[in-house]
Amino acid sequence: MSAMRKQPPFFTTTPSSSSYSLPPFNTPLTPAQLDAAFQKCLDLQNAGVTLHSKRPFAALLLAPDKTSVLFTHLSISHVQHAEAEVARLASIHYSQEYLWDCTLVSTWEPCAMCTGTIYWANIGRLIYAASEEELNKLTGAGNEENMTMSLPCREVLKRGQKAVEVLGPVKPWDDRVIRESGKWWKKHAVQKEKDVNGSREPELDSDYSAADLQSSIDWLS
């Protein structure tokens, strides 16, 4: 009887008899690769908020080399979340075998819908900066802009038959994502309380200027 493969810490796997029952990677991302991926993802999120009036969510897909970015996406609507759109587009352009060796990186923990899409796209690794629980604290109960669920992505994947690897939340990136995202949610809450008066809304109090954001995402072109 063969010995079970020892799993890296903080990773969740689901037993299965399928060809995807073992994790796709022998080694995790290096600290440098993690930092680079999260920086790109947070830059993308901040650019989306500041330049394109999007909500504070972003995701990207890393190639098997754990460095090259294959896709990026922002949150478009309540059903077109960043993670789900990355997974959907990836499933159109790449084979399931190839995607099993890819990594989806997100500023926030994917919801149940996004996690399911990642699973069916056959993306082998998921990494997120900040947890759904922390998002719930930011959005609050009954927030129609984002009715945050209380269903961790690991719980969703436990019901599946693939050993999708999960890493998150990741410090110090969770604190950075929470801080930057919190500015948008605070501003949104204030706007909701105001009467419509046609006045110009104040700019986001971000650590990133519009020029900095445009420069920081030059790697996308």
Side-chain angles (χ1 to χ4, degrees), residues 58-219:
L60 58 82
L61 185 69
L62 295 178
D65 65 6
K66 309 182 187 77
T67 301
S68 303
V69 177
L70 301 175
F71 284 107
T72 67
H73 223 288
L74 301 169
S75 176
I76 305 301
S77 71
H78 291 145
V79 295
Q80 293 175 290
H81 293 183
E83 304 92 333
E85 290 303 290
V86 165
R88 183 183 64 81
L89 289 170
S91 70
I92 295 172
H93 289 273
Y94 300 104
S95 69
Q96 287 209 330
E97 290 75 15
Y98 180 80
L99 290 176
W100 188 242
D101 287 330
C102 291
T103 302
L104 189 143
V105 182
S106 178
T107 50
W108 286 99
E109 179 178 2
C111 71
M113 175 186 72
C114 294
T115 303
T117 310
I118 293 167
Y119 175 88
W120 287 113
N122 212 51
I123 296 170
R125 171 179 277 159
L126 164 63
I127 299 176
Y128 62 89
S131 69
E132 184 179 63
E133 181 180 1
E134 292 297 330
L135 178 61
N136 218 339
K137 294 177 183 177
L138 285 183
T139 60
N143 190 328
E144 294 181 1
E145 182 61 37
N146 201 85
M147 301 289 280
T148 308
M149 302 179 72
S150 294
L151 183 56
C153 63
R154 286 177 172 85
E155 290 300 314
V156 176
L157 292 170
K158 281 181 181 178
R159 304 300 189 271
Q161 300 184 57
K162 302 175 184 178
V164 177
E165 296 184 353
V166 180
L167 173 62
V170 178
K171 289 191 174 296
W173 290 100
D174 57 342
D175 293 331
R176 298 179 188 177
V177 167
I178 292 168
R179 182 175 66 251
E180 287 298 312
S181 302
K183 296 169 185 176
W184 188 92
W185 289 106
K186 181 179 179 180
K187 179 174 181 284
H188 179 78
V190 171
Q191 287 178 335
K192 192 172 182 180
E193 293 174 359
K194 289 182 177 179
D195 293 328
V196 177
N197 55 22
S199 62
R200 186 175 182 273
E201 295 294 341
E203 297 295 327
L204 279 174
D205 177 23
S206 176
D207 295 341
Y208 300 80
S209 68
D212 289 339
L213 288 169
Q214 192 61 58
S215 176
S216 69
I217 59 172
D218 284 345
W219 54 270

Side-chain angles (χ1 to χ4, degrees), residues 36-59:
F38 276 132
Q39 187 64 65
K40 289 177 181 179
C41 214
L42 185 55
D43 285 347
L44 179 65
Q45 173 178 301
N46 285 324
V49 168
T50 304
L51 303 177
H52 308 298
S53 301
K54 301 301 182 185
R55 301 189 306 159
F57 300 96

